[in-house]
Amino acid sequence: MSEPLIRSTEPRREWLVRCTDAWCDLAVCSVEVNRGEIGIFGPRGDVFMLNRAEIADFRTALDAAIGQAESDLQAERAGRAADYRI
């Protein structure tokens, strides 16, 4: 098979993520990388930048939050299953 003609020659530096704003409206956030820093842009113009150390801390916090959210959902599911057994 021949090599694709349509392809990106540069590494990806921006990701658009669907989110919900403070008013529960659907929105889009942007995560961007520039010169080793990460910028996170909220749907209403809020921006925060993370440098190398802050990126590591953010990753740790996000991983912990994801784990807790998973636990919450599993506990909620188990509670619903218990309700159905009554």
Side-chain angles (χ1 to χ4, degrees), residues 6-12:
I6 301 171
R7 64 175 181 245
S8 175
T9 59
E10 297 293 323
R12 188 168 183 181

Side-chain angles (χ1 to χ4, degrees), residues 23-77:
W23 296 270
C24 296
D25 293 328
L26 294 176
V28 175
C29 296
S30 173
V31 178
E32 299 179 9
V33 175
N34 188 19
R35 299 173 133 173
E37 292 189 339
I38 294 176
I40 300 177
F41 300 80
R44 303 260 186 226
D46 296 327
V47 177
F48 64 95
M49 302 298 293
L50 301 168
N51 65 30
R52 183 184 307 181
E54 295 165 339
I55 291 168
D57 291 342
F58 189 84
R59 174 185 271 172
T60 299
L62 184 59
D63 287 345
I66 290 168
Q68 186 59 56
E70 183 72 26
S71 293
D72 291 351
L73 292 172
Q74 289 175 355
E76 183 180 306
R77 179 182 285 172

